[in-house]
Protein backbone atom coordinates (compact mmCIF):
# COMPACT_ATOMS: atom_id res chain seq x y z
CA UNK A 1 0.00 0.00 0.00
CA UNK A 2 1.35 3.42 -0.89
CA UNK A 3 0.37 6.93 0.15
CA UNK A 4 -0.87 7.83 -3.37
CA UNK A 5 -3.16 4.75 -3.34
CA UNK A 6 -4.70 5.82 -0.03
CA UNK A 7 -5.02 9.42 -1.17
CA UNK A 8 -6.74 8.17 -4.36
CA UNK A 9 -9.28 6.21 -2.31
CA UNK A 10 -9.87 9.32 -0.20
CA UNK A 11 -10.48 11.47 -3.30
CA UNK A 12 -12.80 8.82 -4.75
CA UNK A 13 -15.05 8.81 -1.69
CA UNK A 14 -14.82 12.38 -0.44
CA UNK A 15 -14.00 14.35 -3.62
CA UNK A 16 -11.22 16.25 -1.86
CA UNK A 17 -7.54 15.94 -0.98
CA UNK A 18 -6.62 14.44 2.39
CA UNK A 19 -4.62 16.68 4.70
CA UNK A 20 -2.55 13.86 6.15
CA UNK A 21 -1.70 10.31 5.10
CA UNK A 22 -0.09 7.96 7.63
CA UNK A 23 1.24 4.53 6.71
CA UNK A 24 1.96 1.72 9.15
CA UNK A 25 3.30 -1.78 8.49
CA UNK A 26 2.13 -5.14 9.73
CA UNK A 27 4.42 -7.19 11.90
CA UNK A 28 5.55 -10.77 12.17
CA UNK A 29 6.91 -12.07 15.42
CA UNK A 30 10.00 -14.20 14.81
CA UNK A 31 10.08 -15.77 18.25
CA UNK A 32 8.67 -15.05 21.71
CA UNK A 33 4.99 -16.01 21.37
CA UNK A 34 2.46 -15.61 24.18
CA UNK A 35 5.07 -14.11 26.47
CA UNK A 36 4.24 -10.43 25.90
CA UNK A 37 1.42 -10.34 28.46
CA UNK A 38 3.66 -12.31 30.85
CA UNK A 39 6.26 -9.52 30.91
CA UNK A 40 8.61 -11.36 28.56
CA UNK A 41 10.89 -10.67 25.60
CA UNK A 42 9.65 -10.76 22.01
CA UNK A 43 11.41 -10.42 18.68
CA UNK A 44 9.16 -9.08 15.92
CA UNK A 45 9.92 -7.46 12.57
CA UNK A 46 7.80 -4.82 10.90
CA UNK A 47 7.00 -6.21 7.43
CA UNK A 48 6.53 -4.70 3.99
CA UNK A 49 2.74 -4.79 3.89
CA UNK A 50 1.04 -1.59 5.01
CA UNK A 51 -2.15 0.10 6.02
CA UNK A 52 -2.72 3.71 5.05
CA UNK A 53 -4.97 6.18 6.84
CA UNK A 54 -5.85 9.40 4.96
CA UNK A 55 -7.64 12.13 6.87
CA UNK A 56 -9.14 15.56 6.46
CA UNK A 57 -10.75 17.71 9.12
CA UNK A 58 -14.29 18.97 8.69
CA UNK A 59 -15.93 22.08 10.08
CA UNK A 60 -17.12 21.87 13.70
CA UNK A 61 -20.32 19.86 14.31
CA UNK A 62 -20.03 18.02 10.97
CA UNK A 63 -20.64 14.26 11.04
CA UNK A 64 -17.44 12.20 10.80
CA UNK A 65 -17.31 9.53 8.08
CA UNK A 66 -14.89 6.71 7.43
CA UNK A 67 -14.40 4.26 4.59
CA UNK A 68 -12.16 1.25 4.36
CA UNK A 69 -11.07 -0.14 1.02
CA UNK A 70 -11.40 -3.67 2.38
CA UNK A 71 -14.70 -3.16 4.18
CA UNK A 72 -17.96 -4.21 2.57
CA UNK A 73 -19.77 -1.64 4.69
CA UNK A 74 -18.98 1.34 2.47
CA UNK A 75 -18.56 4.77 4.02
CA UNK A 76 -19.90 4.80 7.57
CA UNK A 77 -20.60 7.55 10.04
CA UNK A 78 -18.71 7.34 13.29
CA UNK A 79 -18.13 9.44 16.35
CA UNK A 80 -14.40 10.04 16.99
CA UNK A 81 -15.23 10.96 20.58
CA UNK A 82 -17.64 8.09 21.22
CA UNK A 83 -17.72 7.01 24.86
CA UNK A 84 -18.35 3.37 24.03
CA UNK A 85 -17.38 1.02 21.18
CA UNK A 86 -20.09 0.23 18.64
CA UNK A 87 -18.65 -3.08 17.45
CA UNK A 88 -17.35 -1.86 14.09
CA UNK A 89 -13.85 -1.30 12.74
CA UNK A 90 -14.25 2.44 13.28
CA UNK A 91 -13.92 1.67 17.02
CA UNK A 92 -10.16 1.69 16.40
CA UNK A 93 -10.45 5.28 15.11
CA UNK A 94 -12.64 6.35 18.03
CA UNK A 95 -10.32 4.51 20.43
CA UNK A 96 -7.17 6.39 19.43
CA UNK A 97 -9.03 9.71 19.08
CA UNK A 98 -10.41 9.30 22.61
CA UNK A 99 -6.99 8.52 24.10
CA UNK A 100 -5.41 11.47 22.27
CA UNK A 101 -8.24 13.76 23.40
CA UNK A 102 -7.68 12.68 27.00
CA UNK A 103 -4.03 13.72 26.52
CA UNK A 104 -5.11 17.17 25.37
CA UNK A 105 -5.08 16.76 21.59
CA UNK A 106 -7.88 18.55 19.75
CA UNK A 107 -9.98 16.04 17.78
CA UNK A 108 -12.12 17.67 15.08
CA UNK A 109 -14.77 15.93 12.98
CA UNK A 110 -12.98 14.15 10.14
CA UNK A 111 -13.27 12.23 6.90
CA UNK A 112 -11.11 9.10 6.90
CA UNK A 113 -10.15 6.65 4.16
CA UNK A 114 -8.29 3.45 4.99
CA UNK A 115 -6.59 1.17 2.47
CA UNK A 116 -4.50 -1.81 3.35
CA UNK A 117 -2.64 -4.81 2.04
CA UNK A 118 -2.21 -6.31 5.51
CA UNK A 119 -4.49 -9.35 5.73
CA UNK A 120 -7.11 -8.79 8.41
CA UNK A 121 -7.22 -11.21 11.30
CA UNK A 122 -4.27 -13.26 10.05
CA UNK A 123 -2.04 -12.51 13.03
CA UNK A 124 0.02 -9.87 11.20
CA UNK A 125 -1.40 -7.15 13.39
CA UNK A 126 -3.59 -5.19 11.03
CA UNK A 127 -5.31 -3.85 14.16
CA UNK A 128 -2.17 -2.30 15.66
CA UNK A 129 -1.19 -0.94 12.23
CA UNK A 130 -4.62 0.68 11.91
CA UNK A 131 -4.42 2.12 15.43
CA UNK A 132 -0.88 3.47 15.06
CA UNK A 133 -1.56 4.99 11.62
CA UNK A 134 -4.82 6.54 12.87
CA UNK A 135 -3.10 7.96 15.97
CA UNK A 136 -0.37 9.39 13.75
CA UNK A 137 -2.92 10.98 11.42
CA UNK A 138 -5.06 12.49 14.22
CA UNK A 139 -2.03 13.93 16.00
CA UNK A 140 -0.56 15.31 12.77
CA UNK A 141 -3.90 16.91 11.94
CA UNK A 142 -3.83 18.64 15.33
CA UNK A 143 -0.29 19.89 14.58
CA UNK A 144 1.05 17.90 17.55
CA UNK A 145 2.84 14.90 16.04
CA UNK A 146 3.66 12.20 18.60
CA UNK A 147 6.96 10.38 18.76
CA UNK A 148 6.86 6.67 17.81
CA UNK A 149 6.79 5.45 21.42
CA UNK A 150 3.91 7.75 22.32
CA UNK A 151 2.01 6.52 19.25
CA UNK A 152 2.49 2.92 20.37
CA UNK A 153 1.18 3.74 23.85
CA UNK A 154 -1.86 5.53 22.45
CA UNK A 155 -2.58 2.59 20.12
CA UNK A 156 -2.22 0.09 22.96
CA UNK A 157 -4.55 2.01 25.26
CA UNK A 158 -7.10 2.36 22.48
CA UNK A 159 -7.11 -1.34 21.62
CA UNK A 160 -7.07 -2.52 25.24
CA UNK A 161 -9.33 -0.03 26.97
CA UNK A 162 -11.69 1.04 24.22
CA UNK A 163 -11.93 -1.76 21.67
CA UNK A 164 -11.55 -4.26 24.50
CA UNK A 165 -8.84 -6.62 23.20
CA UNK A 166 -6.41 -7.67 25.95
CA UNK A 167 -3.35 -7.26 23.72
CA UNK A 168 0.23 -6.44 24.68
CA UNK A 169 2.70 -3.69 23.80
CA UNK A 170 4.53 -5.81 21.19
CA UNK A 171 2.27 -5.09 18.24
CA UNK A 172 2.08 -1.29 18.45
CA UNK A 173 5.80 -0.98 19.29
CA UNK A 174 6.81 -3.19 16.35
CA UNK A 175 4.50 -1.32 13.99
CA UNK A 176 5.69 2.04 15.24
CA UNK A 177 9.44 1.48 15.74
CA UNK A 178 10.27 -1.07 13.03
CA UNK A 179 13.35 -0.50 10.89
CA UNK A 180 14.27 -1.99 7.50
CA UNK A 181 16.99 -4.63 7.90
CA UNK A 182 16.27 -5.02 11.60
CA UNK A 183 14.28 -7.04 14.08
CA UNK A 184 13.21 -5.37 17.31
CA UNK A 185 13.84 -6.98 20.66
CA UNK A 186 11.16 -5.74 23.03
CA UNK A 187 11.20 -6.19 26.77
CA UNK A 188 7.47 -6.15 27.41
CA UNK A 189 7.95 -5.51 31.14
CA UNK A 190 10.17 -2.45 30.87
CA UNK A 191 9.05 -1.34 27.42
CA UNK A 192 12.73 -1.22 26.41
CA UNK A 193 13.54 -1.90 22.76
CA UNK A 194 16.71 -2.75 20.85
CA UNK A 195 17.07 -2.83 17.07
CA UNK A 196 19.05 -5.90 15.99
CA UNK A 197 20.39 -6.56 12.49
CA UNK A 198 18.19 -8.99 10.56
CA UNK A 199 18.04 -8.74 6.79
CA UNK A 200 16.84 -12.25 6.01
CA UNK A 201 13.64 -12.97 4.13
CA UNK A 202 10.51 -13.91 6.01
CA UNK A 203 7.96 -16.21 4.37
CA UNK A 204 4.43 -15.85 5.69
CA UNK A 205 1.72 -18.32 4.74
CA UNK A 206 -1.86 -17.61 5.80
CA UNK A 207 -3.92 -20.68 6.67
CA UNK A 208 -7.01 -18.55 6.02
CA UNK A 209 -8.81 -20.34 8.84
CA UNK A 210 -11.64 -18.59 10.60
CA UNK A 211 -10.33 -17.62 13.98
CA UNK A 212 -13.66 -17.64 15.79
CA UNK A 213 -12.13 -19.14 18.91
CA UNK A 214 -9.27 -16.71 19.19
CA UNK A 215 -10.74 -14.07 21.49
CA UNK A 216 -12.11 -16.48 24.10
CA UNK A 217 -9.17 -18.90 23.94
CA UNK A 218 -6.72 -16.00 24.21
CA UNK A 219 -8.46 -14.66 27.30
CA UNK A 220 -8.38 -18.13 28.78
CA UNK A 221 -4.62 -18.38 28.25
CA UNK A 222 -4.09 -14.94 29.83
CA UNK A 223 -6.07 -16.18 32.87
CA UNK A 224 -4.12 -19.47 32.99
CA UNK A 225 -0.83 -17.54 32.97
CA UNK A 226 -2.08 -15.38 35.86
CA UNK A 227 -2.98 -18.57 37.75
CA UNK A 228 0.48 -20.00 37.05
CA UNK A 229 2.11 -16.82 38.36
CA UNK A 230 0.06 -16.97 41.57
CA UNK A 231 1.18 -20.58 42.09
CA UNK A 232 4.84 -19.78 41.35
CA UNK A 233 4.78 -16.87 43.83
CA UNK A 234 3.80 -19.25 46.61
CA UNK A 235 7.12 -21.02 45.95
CA UNK A 236 9.17 -17.94 45.10
CA UNK A 237 7.46 -14.73 46.30
CA UNK A 238 9.98 -12.47 44.56
CA UNK A 239 8.91 -13.63 41.08
CA UNK A 240 8.24 -10.47 39.07
CA UNK A 241 6.13 -12.08 36.37
CA UNK A 242 5.69 -15.45 34.70
CA UNK A 243 8.28 -14.71 32.02
CA UNK A 244 10.98 -14.23 34.65
CA UNK A 245 9.99 -17.31 36.70
CA UNK A 246 12.68 -19.95 37.00
CA UNK A 247 11.95 -23.33 35.38
CA UNK A 248 12.61 -24.89 38.81
CA UNK A 249 9.92 -22.75 40.45
CA UNK A 250 7.45 -23.67 37.71
CA UNK A 251 8.12 -27.35 38.36
CA UNK A 252 7.95 -26.97 42.16
CA UNK A 253 4.73 -24.94 42.22
CA UNK A 254 1.36 -26.56 42.77
CA UNK A 255 -0.81 -26.15 39.68
CA UNK A 256 -3.02 -28.19 37.37
CA UNK A 257 -1.29 -30.09 34.56
CA UNK A 258 -2.92 -27.74 32.06
CA UNK A 259 -1.72 -24.56 33.77
CA UNK A 260 1.75 -26.10 34.17
CA UNK A 261 1.93 -26.73 30.41
CA UNK A 262 1.22 -23.03 29.79
CA UNK A 263 3.91 -21.99 32.29
CA UNK A 264 6.44 -24.42 30.80
CA UNK A 265 5.84 -22.89 27.39
CA UNK A 266 6.40 -19.37 28.72
CA UNK A 267 9.71 -20.11 30.48
CA UNK A 268 10.95 -22.29 27.59
CA UNK A 269 10.02 -19.63 25.05
CA UNK A 270 11.90 -17.03 27.08
CA UNK A 271 15.07 -19.14 26.86
CA UNK A 272 14.62 -19.33 23.07
CA UNK A 273 14.15 -15.56 22.68
CA UNK A 274 17.27 -14.87 24.76
CA UNK A 275 19.23 -17.20 22.48
CA UNK A 276 17.79 -15.56 19.38
CA UNK A 277 18.69 -12.08 20.63
CA UNK A 278 22.23 -13.20 21.40
CA UNK A 279 22.57 -14.69 17.91
CA UNK A 280 21.35 -11.55 16.16
CA UNK A 281 23.61 -9.35 18.28
CA UNK A 282 26.59 -11.54 17.44
CA UNK A 283 26.02 -12.32 13.76
CA UNK A 284 22.76 -10.87 12.43
CA UNK A 285 21.56 -14.39 11.70
CA UNK A 286 19.01 -16.55 13.43
CA UNK A 287 19.06 -20.30 13.97
CA UNK A 288 15.82 -21.57 12.42
CA UNK A 289 15.72 -24.44 14.93
CA UNK A 290 14.63 -21.90 17.55
CA UNK A 291 11.50 -21.17 15.52
CA UNK A 292 10.72 -24.84 15.03
CA UNK A 293 11.17 -25.55 18.75
CA UNK A 294 8.85 -22.64 19.48
CA UNK A 295 6.21 -24.16 17.21
CA UNK A 296 6.44 -27.52 18.97
CA UNK A 297 5.96 -25.80 22.32
CA UNK A 298 2.98 -23.75 21.07
CA UNK A 299 1.44 -26.93 19.69
CA UNK A 300 2.06 -29.24 22.65
CA UNK A 301 2.24 -26.98 25.71
CA UNK A 302 0.32 -23.83 24.87
CA UNK A 303 -2.14 -25.76 22.67
CA UNK A 304 -2.84 -22.85 20.36
CA UNK A 305 -1.93 -24.43 17.02
CA UNK A 306 -4.19 -26.01 14.39
CA UNK A 307 -3.76 -29.00 12.06
CA UNK A 308 -3.20 -26.58 9.15
CA UNK A 309 -0.44 -24.69 11.01
CA UNK A 310 1.15 -27.96 12.13
CA UNK A 311 1.09 -29.26 8.57
CA UNK A 312 2.71 -26.06 7.24
CA UNK A 313 5.38 -26.01 9.96
CA UNK A 314 6.29 -29.64 9.29
CA UNK A 315 6.29 -29.44 5.50
CA UNK A 316 8.08 -26.08 5.37
CA UNK A 317 11.05 -27.35 7.33
CA UNK A 318 11.30 -30.38 5.02
CA UNK A 319 12.00 -28.10 2.06
CA UNK A 320 15.67 -27.46 1.28
CA UNK A 321 16.97 -24.11 2.53
CA UNK A 322 14.10 -23.49 4.97
CA UNK A 323 15.82 -23.12 8.33
CA UNK A 324 12.80 -23.08 10.62
CA UNK A 325 9.09 -22.30 10.80
CA UNK A 326 6.39 -21.72 13.36
CA UNK A 327 2.97 -20.22 13.82
CA UNK A 328 3.12 -16.47 14.43
CA UNK A 329 0.57 -14.33 16.22
CA UNK A 330 -1.88 -15.69 18.75
CA UNK A 331 -2.47 -18.97 16.89
CA UNK A 332 -5.73 -20.92 16.49
CA UNK A 333 -5.31 -20.12 12.79
CA UNK A 334 -3.50 -17.21 11.19
CA UNK A 335 -0.05 -17.36 9.64
CA UNK A 336 3.04 -19.48 9.56
CA UNK A 337 6.39 -17.65 9.56
CA UNK A 338 9.41 -19.36 8.01
CA UNK A 339 12.98 -18.15 7.75
CA UNK A 340 15.90 -19.39 5.70
CA UNK A 341 17.86 -18.73 2.57
CA UNK A 342 16.12 -16.04 0.40
CA UNK A 343 16.20 -18.03 -2.83
CA UNK A 344 15.15 -21.23 -1.11
CA UNK A 345 12.15 -19.52 0.48
CA UNK A 346 11.17 -18.05 -2.89
CA UNK A 347 11.36 -21.49 -4.50
CA UNK A 348 9.64 -23.22 -1.58
CA UNK A 349 6.63 -20.96 -1.27
CA UNK A 350 4.73 -22.15 -4.40
CA UNK A 351 5.46 -25.81 -3.53
CA UNK A 352 4.24 -25.32 0.00
CA UNK A 353 1.13 -23.50 -1.24
CA UNK A 354 0.34 -26.23 -3.78
CA UNK A 355 0.76 -28.95 -1.14
CA UNK A 356 -1.45 -27.03 1.28
CA UNK A 357 -4.14 -26.60 -1.40
CA UNK A 358 -4.31 -30.31 -2.13
CA UNK A 359 -4.32 -31.15 1.59
CA UNK A 360 -6.83 -28.57 2.82
CA UNK A 361 -8.80 -27.76 -0.34
CA UNK A 362 -7.91 -24.08 -0.53
CA UNK A 363 -4.86 -22.26 -1.83
CA UNK A 364 -3.24 -20.18 0.91
CA UNK A 365 -2.11 -16.60 0.45
CA UNK A 366 1.60 -16.12 1.03
CA UNK A 367 4.10 -13.28 1.14
CA UNK A 368 7.87 -13.21 0.93
CA UNK A 369 8.86 -10.07 2.83
CA UNK A 370 11.78 -8.36 4.50
CA UNK A 371 12.00 -6.30 7.66
CA UNK A 372 10.53 -2.88 6.89
CA UNK A 373 10.37 0.59 8.40
CA UNK A 374 7.78 1.47 11.01
CA UNK A 375 4.95 3.98 10.67
CA UNK A 376 5.55 7.09 8.59
CA UNK A 377 3.71 10.29 7.93
CA UNK A 378 3.69 11.25 4.27
CA UNK A 379 4.89 14.83 4.44
CA UNK A 380 3.48 15.70 1.02
CA UNK A 381 0.05 15.36 2.54
CA UNK A 382 0.64 17.10 5.86
CA UNK A 383 -1.45 20.21 6.27
CA UNK A 384 0.53 23.29 7.14
CA UNK A 385 -1.73 25.59 9.06
CA UNK A 386 -0.81 28.66 10.95
P1 LIG B 1 -4.95 -8.86 13.29
O1 LIG B 1 -4.20 -10.10 13.60
O2 LIG B 1 -5.00 -8.61 11.81
O3 LIG B 1 -4.50 -7.69 14.09
P2 LIG B 1 -7.35 -8.45 14.81
O4 LIG B 1 -8.54 -9.32 14.99
O5 LIG B 1 -6.56 -8.06 16.01
O6 LIG B 1 -6.46 -9.19 13.72
O7 LIG B 1 -7.77 -7.10 14.12
C1 LIG B 1 -8.57 -7.10 12.98
C2 LIG B 1 -9.53 -5.94 13.07
O8 LIG B 1 -8.82 -4.70 12.80
C3 LIG B 1 -10.62 -5.99 12.03
O9 LIG B 1 -11.71 -6.76 12.48
C4 LIG B 1 -10.98 -4.52 11.88
O10 LIG B 1 -11.80 -4.10 12.94
C5 LIG B 1 -9.64 -3.83 12.04
N1 LIG B 1 -8.99 -3.65 10.71
C6 LIG B 1 -7.81 -4.14 10.32
N2 LIG B 1 -7.52 -3.77 9.05
C7 LIG B 1 -8.56 -3.04 8.63
C8 LIG B 1 -8.88 -2.37 7.41
N3 LIG B 1 -8.07 -2.39 6.36
N4 LIG B 1 -10.05 -1.71 7.37
C9 LIG B 1 -10.88 -1.68 8.40
N5 LIG B 1 -10.63 -2.28 9.57
C10 LIG B 1 -9.50 -2.96 9.70
MG1 LIG C 1 -4.59 -7.50 16.20
Amino acid sequence: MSAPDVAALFRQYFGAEPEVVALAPGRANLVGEHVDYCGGLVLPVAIGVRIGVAMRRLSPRSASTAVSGTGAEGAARFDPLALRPVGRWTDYLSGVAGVLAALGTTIPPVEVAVASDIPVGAGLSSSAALSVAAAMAFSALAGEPCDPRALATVALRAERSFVGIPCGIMDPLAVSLGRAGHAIAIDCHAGATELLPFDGAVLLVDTGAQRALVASAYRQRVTECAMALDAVRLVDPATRDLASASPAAVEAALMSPEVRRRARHVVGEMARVRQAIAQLRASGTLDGALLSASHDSLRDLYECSTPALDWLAREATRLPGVAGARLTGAGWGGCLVAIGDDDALRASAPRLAAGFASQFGRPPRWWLLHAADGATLESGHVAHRS
Side-chain angles (χ1 to χ4, degrees):
M1 192 49 57
S2 70
D5 291 338
V6 190
L9 181 75
F10 188 95
R11 273 194 299 276
Q12 181 192 330
Y13 273 91
F14 302 117
E17 283 294 325
E19 290 176 81
V20 295
V21 179
L23 289 174
R27 67 99 189 91
N29 192 18
L30 296 177
V31 67
E33 210 64 76
H34 285 291
V35 295
D36 54 346
Y37 50 81
C38 299
L41 295 162
V42 296
L43 191 59
V45 286
I47 49 173
V49 280
R50 290 181 187 279
I51 196 164
V53 174
M55 227 180 248
R56 177 174 88 112
R57 87 195 78 187
L58 299 172
S59 51
R61 287 178 296 282
S62 306
S64 293
T65 319
V67 64
S68 165
T70 64
E73 297 172 28
R77 281 197 177 186
F78 78 105
D79 179 1
L81 296 174
L83 295 176
R84 270 174 288 281
V86 295
R88 285 207 306 260
W89 71 271
T90 51
D91 287 342
Y92 289 91
L93 304 178
S94 305
V96 295
V99 174
L100 286 168
L103 295 171
T105 304
T106 307
I107 303 291
V110 284
E111 285 171 335
V112 186
V114 173
S116 175
D117 47 27
I118 307 174
V120 174
L124 302 184
S125 212
S126 66
S127 61
L130 173 59
S131 308
V132 167
M136 194 174 232
F138 272 118
S139 56
L141 213 54
E144 298 162 19
C146 295
D147 66 62
R149 264 176 189 283
L151 285 177
T153 309
V154 168
L156 178 70
R157 282 176 57 189
E159 191 157 1
R160 282 186 80 101
S161 313
F162 190 81
V163 185
I165 309 289
C167 52
I169 188 67
M170 165 171 66
D171 294 0
L173 274 179
V175 161
S176 196
L177 296 175
R179 177 91 53 89
H182 292 79
I184 316 162
I186 301 174
D187 176 335
C188 296
H189 170 72
T193 58
E194 180 184 351
L195 286 169
L196 297 164
F198 176 76
D199 62 5
V202 171
L203 173 65
L204 295 155
V205 186
D206 182 11
T207 57
Q210 289 298 316
R211 297 197 307 156
L213 284 174
V214 181
S216 63
Y218 184 96
R219 282 189 176 83
Q220 191 189 336
R221 292 294 180 277
V222 173
T223 305
E224 288 165 348
C225 286
M227 289 163 73
L229 177 59
D230 286 345
V232 167
R233 279 186 175 149
L234 290 177
V235 174
D236 182 358
T239 307
R240 187 192 73 191
D241 46 38
L242 190 57
S244 59
S246 72
V250 166
E251 296 312 316
L254 205 61
M255 51 182 110
S256 72
E258 197 169 61
V259 169
R260 197 183 310 282
R261 285 199 294 280
R262 313 304 181 233
R264 281 178 177 160
H265 165 74
V266 171
V267 296
E269 188 76 352
M270 283 298 293
R272 285 184 285 275
V273 192
R274 286 195 200 95
Q275 264 183 282
I277 289 172
Q279 287 173 6
L280 288 184
R281 271 193 199 129
S283 66
T285 58
L286 197 52
D287 176 5
L290 290 174
L291 274 71
S292 298
S294 170
H295 185 84
D296 293 347
S297 176
L298 290 161
R299 180 191 61 213
D300 299 336
L301 299 178
Y302 221 69
E303 297 176 273
C304 63
S305 189
T306 62
L309 284 165
D310 293 340
W311 186 92
L312 280 173
R314 193 177 59 245
E315 296 302 315
T317 42
R318 282 184 182 158
L319 294 168
V322 178
R326 64 176 201 89
L327 72 86
T328 186
W332 297 286
C335 282
L336 180 90
V337 59
I339 61 168
D341 175 64
D342 267 43
D343 293 336
L345 288 176
R346 197 175 303 281
S348 299
R351 288 174 60 188
L352 199 57
F356 184 93
S358 63
Q359 187 77 17
F360 295 97
R362 55 179 188 274
R365 292 180 297 175
W366 58 269
W367 302 262
L368 189 63
L369 301 167
H370 286 82
D373 284 331
T376 51
L377 194 63
E378 299 304 304
S379 54
H381 292 278
V382 180
H384 295 287
R385 296 204 166 188
S386 52

